[in-house]
Amino acid sequence: MDISVIVPLFNEEESLAELYAWIERVMKENGFSYEVIFVSDGSTDHSWEVVERLHTEHEEVRGIKFRRNYGKSPALFCGFAAARGDVVITMDADLQDSPDEIPGLYEMITKEGYDLVSGYKMNRSKGDPLSKTIPTKLFNATARQVSGIHNLHDFNCGLKAYRSEVVKHIEVYGEMHRYIPYLAKNAGFTKIGEKRVHHQARKFGKSKFMGWNRFANGYLDLVSLWFLSSFGLKPMHVFGFVGTLMFLLGFVAALVVGINKIYYLASGMSHPLVTDSPYFYISLTMMILGTQLFVSGFLGELLIRNSQLRNNYEIEKEI
Protein backbone atom coordinates (compact mmCIF):
# COMPACT_ATOMS: atom_id res chain seq x y z
CA MET A 1 0.00 0.00 0.00
CA ASP A 2 1.34 3.42 -0.95
CA ILE A 3 -0.31 5.74 1.57
CA SER A 4 -2.10 5.62 4.91
CA VAL A 5 -3.98 8.81 5.76
CA ILE A 6 -4.71 9.21 9.47
CA VAL A 7 -7.43 11.67 10.46
CA PRO A 8 -7.94 12.33 14.20
CA LEU A 9 -11.33 13.87 14.82
CA PHE A 10 -13.56 15.21 17.55
CA ASN A 11 -17.11 16.22 16.64
CA GLU A 12 -16.50 16.82 12.93
CA GLU A 13 -19.56 15.10 11.44
CA GLU A 14 -20.22 17.87 8.88
CA SER A 15 -16.82 17.68 7.21
CA LEU A 16 -16.00 13.95 7.07
CA ALA A 17 -17.85 12.97 3.88
CA GLU A 18 -16.48 15.99 2.00
CA LEU A 19 -12.96 15.33 3.30
CA TYR A 20 -13.01 11.70 2.21
CA ALA A 21 -14.38 12.57 -1.24
CA TRP A 22 -11.52 15.05 -1.64
CA ILE A 23 -8.93 12.50 -0.54
CA GLU A 24 -10.43 9.85 -2.82
CA ARG A 25 -10.27 12.16 -5.83
CA VAL A 26 -6.60 13.01 -5.22
CA MET A 27 -5.65 9.37 -4.72
CA LYS A 28 -7.38 8.20 -7.90
CA GLU A 29 -5.91 11.03 -9.97
CA ASN A 30 -2.41 9.97 -8.91
CA GLY A 31 -2.95 6.21 -8.99
CA PHE A 32 -2.13 5.66 -5.30
CA SER A 33 -3.20 2.61 -3.35
CA TYR A 34 -4.36 3.92 0.01
CA GLU A 35 -6.37 3.70 3.20
CA VAL A 36 -7.97 6.40 5.32
CA ILE A 37 -8.08 5.78 9.07
CA PHE A 38 -10.53 7.99 10.94
CA VAL A 39 -9.88 8.03 14.69
CA SER A 40 -12.88 9.33 16.64
CA ASP A 41 -11.54 10.77 19.87
CA GLY A 42 -14.66 10.42 22.00
CA SER A 43 -16.89 12.39 19.62
CA THR A 44 -20.35 13.12 21.03
CA ASP A 45 -22.01 14.01 17.73
CA HIS A 46 -22.71 11.66 14.78
CA SER A 47 -19.12 11.50 13.56
CA TRP A 48 -18.80 7.75 14.14
CA GLU A 49 -22.02 7.03 12.26
CA VAL A 50 -20.57 8.94 9.29
CA VAL A 51 -17.36 6.90 9.51
CA GLU A 52 -19.33 3.64 9.59
CA ARG A 53 -21.33 4.71 6.55
CA LEU A 54 -18.18 5.63 4.65
CA HIS A 55 -16.69 2.26 5.62
CA THR A 56 -19.63 0.38 4.14
CA GLU A 57 -19.39 2.38 0.92
CA HIS A 58 -15.59 2.42 0.53
CA GLU A 59 -13.26 -0.43 1.42
CA GLU A 60 -10.40 2.04 1.83
CA VAL A 61 -12.05 3.58 4.92
CA ARG A 62 -11.14 2.29 8.35
CA GLY A 63 -12.08 3.62 11.75
CA ILE A 64 -11.12 3.58 15.42
CA LYS A 65 -13.53 4.82 18.08
CA PHE A 66 -12.42 5.80 21.59
CA ARG A 67 -14.88 5.40 24.44
CA ARG A 68 -14.00 8.87 25.68
CA ASN A 69 -11.93 11.88 24.70
CA TYR A 70 -8.21 11.31 25.23
CA GLY A 71 -6.66 13.93 22.98
CA LYS A 72 -4.91 14.21 19.63
CA SER A 73 -1.72 12.39 20.64
CA PRO A 74 -3.50 9.15 21.67
CA ALA A 75 -5.53 9.30 18.45
CA LEU A 76 -2.34 9.57 16.40
CA PHE A 77 -0.66 6.82 18.43
CA CYS A 78 -3.44 4.34 17.66
CA GLY A 79 -3.63 5.49 14.05
CA PHE A 80 0.13 4.99 13.63
CA ALA A 81 -0.14 1.48 15.08
CA ALA A 82 -2.89 0.57 12.60
CA ALA A 83 -1.31 2.17 9.50
CA ARG A 84 -0.17 -0.18 6.72
CA GLY A 85 1.06 2.25 4.06
CA ASP A 86 4.65 2.88 3.04
CA VAL A 87 4.04 6.58 3.63
CA VAL A 88 1.83 7.82 6.47
CA ILE A 89 0.12 11.19 6.17
CA THR A 90 -1.74 12.92 8.98
CA MET A 91 -4.26 15.70 8.55
CA ASP A 92 -6.97 17.37 10.56
CA ALA A 93 -10.63 16.62 9.90
CA ASP A 94 -11.85 20.22 9.66
CA LEU A 95 -10.97 20.69 5.95
CA GLN A 96 -8.28 23.24 6.76
CA ASP A 97 -5.60 20.80 5.56
CA SER A 98 -5.76 20.33 1.80
CA PRO A 99 -5.54 16.75 0.43
CA ASP A 100 -4.16 18.30 -2.76
CA GLU A 101 -0.83 18.50 -0.89
CA ILE A 102 -0.62 14.69 -0.58
CA PRO A 103 1.24 13.99 -3.87
CA GLY A 104 3.91 16.58 -3.06
CA LEU A 105 4.39 15.22 0.44
CA TYR A 106 4.55 11.66 -0.88
CA GLU A 107 7.21 12.60 -3.43
CA MET A 108 9.38 14.28 -0.79
CA ILE A 109 9.37 11.05 1.25
CA THR A 110 9.78 8.53 -1.56
CA LYS A 111 11.98 10.44 -4.03
CA GLU A 112 13.83 13.02 -1.98
CA GLY A 113 14.51 10.64 0.89
CA TYR A 114 13.03 12.56 3.81
CA ASP A 115 12.06 10.68 6.96
CA LEU A 116 9.46 13.27 7.92
CA VAL A 117 7.99 16.29 6.15
CA SER A 118 6.01 18.88 8.08
CA GLY A 119 3.58 21.30 6.50
CA TYR A 120 4.08 25.05 6.82
CA LYS A 121 0.78 26.92 6.57
CA MET A 122 1.82 30.06 4.78
CA ASN A 123 -1.44 32.04 4.91
CA ARG A 124 -2.82 31.00 8.29
CA SER A 125 -2.61 34.53 9.75
CA LYS A 126 -5.37 35.65 7.37
CA GLY A 127 -7.99 33.56 9.10
CA ASP A 128 -6.72 33.09 12.65
CA PRO A 129 -7.13 35.56 15.54
CA LEU A 130 -4.17 37.07 17.39
CA SER A 131 -4.95 34.87 20.40
CA LYS A 132 -3.86 31.95 18.23
CA THR A 133 -1.18 33.39 15.95
CA ILE A 134 0.96 35.13 18.61
CA PRO A 135 1.24 32.07 20.91
CA THR A 136 1.94 29.94 17.83
CA LYS A 137 4.86 32.13 16.73
CA LEU A 138 6.36 32.15 20.23
CA PHE A 139 5.89 28.41 20.57
CA ASN A 140 7.55 27.63 17.25
CA ALA A 141 10.50 29.91 17.97
CA THR A 142 11.06 28.20 21.31
CA ALA A 143 10.65 24.73 19.82
CA ARG A 144 13.24 25.45 17.13
CA GLN A 145 15.82 26.52 19.70
CA VAL A 146 15.25 23.63 22.10
CA SER A 147 14.92 20.86 19.50
CA GLY A 148 17.72 22.05 17.24
CA ILE A 149 15.45 21.59 14.20
CA HIS A 150 15.89 25.08 12.81
CA ASN A 151 14.33 24.54 9.38
CA LEU A 152 10.77 24.01 10.68
CA HIS A 153 8.47 27.00 11.03
CA ASP A 154 5.27 25.23 12.11
CA PHE A 155 5.84 22.28 14.45
CA ASN A 156 2.15 21.92 15.25
CA CYS A 157 0.85 21.72 11.68
CA GLY A 158 -1.46 18.72 11.46
CA LEU A 159 -0.48 18.02 7.86
CA LYS A 160 2.64 15.85 7.95
CA ALA A 161 4.12 12.92 6.03
CA TYR A 162 6.29 10.13 7.41
CA ARG A 163 8.13 7.07 6.26
CA SER A 164 6.34 4.12 7.86
CA GLU A 165 9.45 3.25 9.91
CA VAL A 166 9.21 6.61 11.67
CA VAL A 167 5.69 6.19 13.05
CA LYS A 168 6.46 2.64 14.16
CA HIS A 169 9.46 3.76 16.22
CA ILE A 170 8.17 6.81 18.08
CA GLU A 171 5.82 6.97 21.05
CA VAL A 172 3.29 9.79 20.96
CA TYR A 173 1.56 10.26 24.31
CA GLY A 174 0.02 13.00 26.45
CA GLU A 175 0.09 16.07 24.20
CA MET A 176 3.38 15.28 22.49
CA HIS A 177 1.86 15.48 18.97
CA ARG A 178 3.25 19.03 18.87
CA TYR A 179 6.76 17.62 19.04
CA ILE A 180 6.64 14.69 16.65
CA PRO A 181 9.61 16.09 14.64
CA TYR A 182 11.60 16.28 17.90
CA LEU A 183 10.53 12.73 18.85
CA ALA A 184 11.59 11.51 15.41
CA LYS A 185 14.95 13.24 15.70
CA ASN A 186 15.56 11.65 19.10
CA ALA A 187 14.71 8.25 17.59
CA GLY A 188 17.44 8.70 14.95
CA PHE A 189 15.32 9.95 12.02
CA THR A 190 17.20 13.14 11.26
CA LYS A 191 16.25 13.97 7.67
CA ILE A 192 13.35 16.28 8.45
CA GLY A 193 11.95 18.66 5.87
CA GLU A 194 9.25 21.22 5.41
CA LYS A 195 6.71 21.89 2.67
CA ARG A 196 4.74 25.06 2.24
CA VAL A 197 1.06 24.15 2.19
CA HIS A 198 -2.20 25.99 1.66
CA HIS A 199 -4.26 26.74 4.75
CA GLN A 200 -8.00 26.45 4.12
CA ALA A 201 -10.58 28.53 5.98
CA ARG A 202 -12.58 26.51 8.50
CA LYS A 203 -15.87 25.56 6.89
CA PHE A 204 -17.74 24.00 9.83
CA GLY A 205 -17.75 24.55 13.59
CA LYS A 206 -15.10 26.28 15.66
CA SER A 207 -11.46 25.59 16.43
CA LYS A 208 -10.92 23.45 19.51
CA PHE A 209 -7.32 24.52 20.06
CA MET A 210 -7.00 28.26 20.70
CA GLY A 211 -5.64 30.66 23.30
CA TRP A 212 -2.61 31.27 25.46
CA ASN A 213 -3.19 28.12 27.55
CA ARG A 214 -2.31 26.17 24.41
CA PHE A 215 1.10 27.86 24.36
CA ALA A 216 1.60 27.34 28.11
CA ASN A 217 0.84 23.63 27.85
CA GLY A 218 3.08 23.35 24.82
CA TYR A 219 5.94 25.03 26.65
CA LEU A 220 5.64 22.66 29.63
CA ASP A 221 5.57 19.65 27.29
CA LEU A 222 8.65 20.96 25.51
CA VAL A 223 10.56 21.28 28.79
CA SER A 224 9.54 17.73 29.72
CA LEU A 225 10.60 16.35 26.37
CA TRP A 226 13.95 18.19 26.49
CA PHE A 227 14.65 16.80 29.95
CA LEU A 228 13.61 13.26 29.00
CA SER A 229 15.68 13.30 25.82
CA SER A 230 18.70 14.70 27.65
CA PHE A 231 18.51 12.94 31.01
CA GLY A 232 15.60 10.49 30.79
CA LEU A 233 17.92 7.48 30.57
CA LYS A 234 20.46 8.88 33.02
CA PRO A 235 18.57 10.79 35.76
CA MET A 236 21.41 10.23 38.22
CA HIS A 237 23.63 12.41 36.05
CA VAL A 238 21.54 15.51 36.68
CA PHE A 239 19.98 14.81 40.08
CA GLY A 240 23.14 13.28 41.48
CA PHE A 241 25.33 16.11 40.22
CA VAL A 242 23.07 18.92 41.44
CA GLY A 243 22.42 17.12 44.74
CA THR A 244 26.11 16.51 45.38
CA LEU A 245 26.99 20.11 44.50
CA MET A 246 24.29 21.50 46.79
CA PHE A 247 25.28 19.16 49.64
CA LEU A 248 28.96 20.13 49.36
CA LEU A 249 28.16 23.85 49.32
CA GLY A 250 25.95 23.44 52.38
CA PHE A 251 28.59 21.35 54.12
CA VAL A 252 31.34 23.89 53.42
CA ALA A 253 29.07 26.71 54.63
CA ALA A 254 28.31 24.83 57.86
CA LEU A 255 32.01 24.11 58.30
CA VAL A 256 32.84 27.82 57.95
CA VAL A 257 30.22 28.68 60.57
CA GLY A 258 31.67 26.05 62.92
CA ILE A 259 35.29 27.11 62.39
CA ASN A 260 34.32 30.71 62.94
CA LYS A 261 32.73 29.77 66.29
CA ILE A 262 35.79 27.76 67.36
CA TYR A 263 38.08 30.66 66.47
CA TYR A 264 36.18 33.07 68.69
CA LEU A 265 36.05 30.56 71.56
CA ALA A 266 39.83 29.93 71.29
CA SER A 267 40.45 33.68 71.33
CA GLY A 268 38.34 34.14 74.46
CA MET A 269 35.95 36.45 72.67
CA SER A 270 32.19 36.26 73.01
CA HIS A 271 30.29 35.08 69.99
CA PRO A 272 26.61 34.30 69.32
CA LEU A 273 25.49 30.69 69.36
CA VAL A 274 25.86 28.79 66.08
CA THR A 275 22.11 28.25 66.05
CA ASP A 276 21.59 32.01 66.20
CA SER A 277 23.30 32.44 62.82
CA PRO A 278 21.04 32.43 59.73
CA TYR A 279 23.93 30.97 57.73
CA PHE A 280 23.74 27.80 59.80
CA TYR A 281 20.12 27.18 58.77
CA ILE A 282 20.83 28.07 55.15
CA SER A 283 23.70 25.58 55.02
CA LEU A 284 21.61 22.92 56.78
CA THR A 285 18.76 23.41 54.29
CA MET A 286 21.17 23.09 51.36
CA MET A 287 22.54 19.83 52.75
CA ILE A 288 19.04 18.40 53.22
CA LEU A 289 17.94 19.44 49.72
CA GLY A 290 21.15 18.06 48.23
CA THR A 291 20.55 14.71 49.92
CA GLN A 292 16.96 14.62 48.65
CA LEU A 293 18.03 15.38 45.08
CA PHE A 294 20.69 12.68 45.25
CA VAL A 295 18.11 10.14 46.46
CA SER A 296 15.77 11.31 43.66
CA GLY A 297 18.48 10.34 41.19
CA PHE A 298 18.53 6.81 42.58
CA LEU A 299 14.72 6.61 42.43
CA GLY A 300 14.79 7.82 38.84
CA GLU A 301 17.29 5.10 37.94
CA LEU A 302 14.94 2.51 39.44
CA LEU A 303 11.84 3.89 37.72
CA ILE A 304 13.29 3.88 34.21
CA ARG A 305 13.86 0.15 34.53
CA ASN A 306 10.09 -0.41 34.66
CA SER A 307 8.07 0.18 31.49
CA GLN A 308 5.26 2.68 31.74
CA LEU A 309 1.89 1.66 30.29
CA ARG A 310 1.23 5.16 29.01
CA ASN A 311 -0.72 4.23 25.93
CA ASN A 312 -3.56 2.10 27.22
CA TYR A 313 -6.74 3.53 25.70
CA GLU A 314 -10.27 2.17 25.77
CA ILE A 315 -11.23 1.46 22.16
CA GLU A 316 -14.95 0.88 21.81
CA LYS A 317 -15.00 -0.14 18.14
CA GLU A 318 -12.58 -0.73 15.32
CA ILE A 319 -13.53 -1.27 11.66
Side-chain angles (χ1 to χ4, degrees):
M1 184 179 294
D2 295 324
I3 298 173
S4 292
V5 180
I6 299 172
V7 184
L9 63 101
F10 178 70
N11 293 343
E12 300 284 0
E13 60 178 324
E14 302 95 342
S15 62
L16 296 181
E18 183 176 342
L19 175 62
Y20 177 73
W22 194 353
I23 294 173
E24 182 184 40
R25 175 180 61 77
V26 171
M27 295 299 187
K28 288 183 175 179
E29 287 176 354
N30 291 272
F32 294 134
S33 56
Y34 72 99
E35 65 181 357
V36 180
I37 304 173
F38 292 101
V39 185
S40 178
D41 182 26
S43 296
T44 55
D45 62 357
H46 298 288
S47 294
W48 183 250
E49 286 80 355
V50 176
V51 172
E52 287 184 317
R53 177 173 58 79
L54 290 172
H55 173 69
T56 59
E57 297 173 355
H58 309 277
E59 62 179 8
E60 295 86 2
V61 174
R62 301 170 61 196
I64 298 172
K65 181 185 181 185
F66 288 168
R67 289 188 182 276
R68 67 173 181 85
N69 180 260
Y70 288 103
K72 189 172 183 178
S73 291
L76 288 174
F77 175 82
C78 293
F80 287 161
R84 299 174 297 186
D86 295 331
V87 174
V88 177
I89 292 177
T90 59
M91 63 173 53
D92 294 336
D94 54 14
L95 296 174
Q96 290 187 288
D97 295 332
S98 171
D100 288 332
E101 306 287 353
I102 290 176
L105 291 168
Y106 179 81
E107 184 171 318
M108 291 182 71
I109 297 293
T110 57
K111 295 185 179 179
E112 298 181 35
Y114 284 99
D115 296 317
L116 183 156
V117 179
S118 181
Y120 177 23
K121 298 178 179 179
M122 295 300 300
N123 59 330
R124 68 181 307 156
S125 59
K126 295 180 180 179
D128 292 336
L130 290 178
S131 62
K132 186 174 183 178
T133 56
I134 293 177
T136 295
K137 288 182 181 296
L138 292 173
F139 159 74
N140 283 311
T142 305
R144 281 194 296 271
Q145 291 301 315
V146 174
S147 68
I149 308 174
H150 299 290
N151 62 321
L152 294 191
H153 295 83
D154 191 0
F155 277 72
N156 199 31
C157 178
L159 187 58
K160 288 183 172 67
Y162 315 78
R163 283 199 298 116
S164 60
E165 291 87 349
V166 175
V167 301
K168 303 300 183 182
H169 287 85
I170 60 175
E171 182 186 15
V172 188
Y173 62 92
E175 294 187 30
M176 291 298 179
H177 60 273
R178 301 181 180 95
Y179 307 110
I180 288 181
Y182 194 8
L183 292 171
K185 178 186 174 184
N186 289 338
F189 300 100
T190 57
K191 191 165 185 183
I192 298 172
E194 184 174 75
K195 183 181 187 300
R196 297 187 177 192
V197 298
H198 183 66
H199 181 58
Q200 304 282 116
R202 173 176 274 272
K203 191 172 182 179
F204 303 104
K206 297 180 179 180
S207 175
K208 301 166 182 66
F209 306 100
M210 294 179 66
W212 286 91
N213 62 322
R214 178 170 171 260
F215 173 70
N217 292 337
Y219 169 76
L220 293 174
D221 287 337
L222 182 59
V223 172
S224 298
L225 184 55
W226 169 81
F227 182 85
L228 290 172
S229 64
S230 301
F231 304 106
L233 297 179
K234 44 186 178 181
M236 193 60 181
H237 287 200
V238 60
F239 286 109
F241 173 75
V242 175
T244 301
L245 182 62
M246 188 172 290
F247 180 87
L248 289 175
L249 289 173
F251 179 77
V252 170
L255 195 61
V256 169
V257 172
I259 292 173
N260 192 43
K261 176 66 175 179
I262 293 172
Y263 170 77
Y264 276 94
L265 288 175
S267 302
M269 294 183 288
S270 62
H271 189 268
L273 294 173
V274 170
T275 53
D276 289 338
S277 171
Y279 299 106
F280 171 76
Y281 294 102
I282 292 173
S283 60
L284 189 62
T285 302
M286 291 182 67
M287 292 171 68
I288 293 172
L289 290 175
T291 302
Q292 290 178 333
L293 285 170
F294 195 85
V295 172
S296 297
F298 276 121
L299 293 176
E301 293 286 345
L302 292 174
L303 288 173
I304 63 171
R305 300 178 191 275
N306 299 314
S307 61
Q308 299 290 328
L309 299 178
R310 287 180 262 193
N311 283 306
N312 282 344
Y313 306 113
E314 288 292 331
I315 296 177
E316 183 177 348
K317 291 182 181 179
E318 191 167 355
I319 56 177

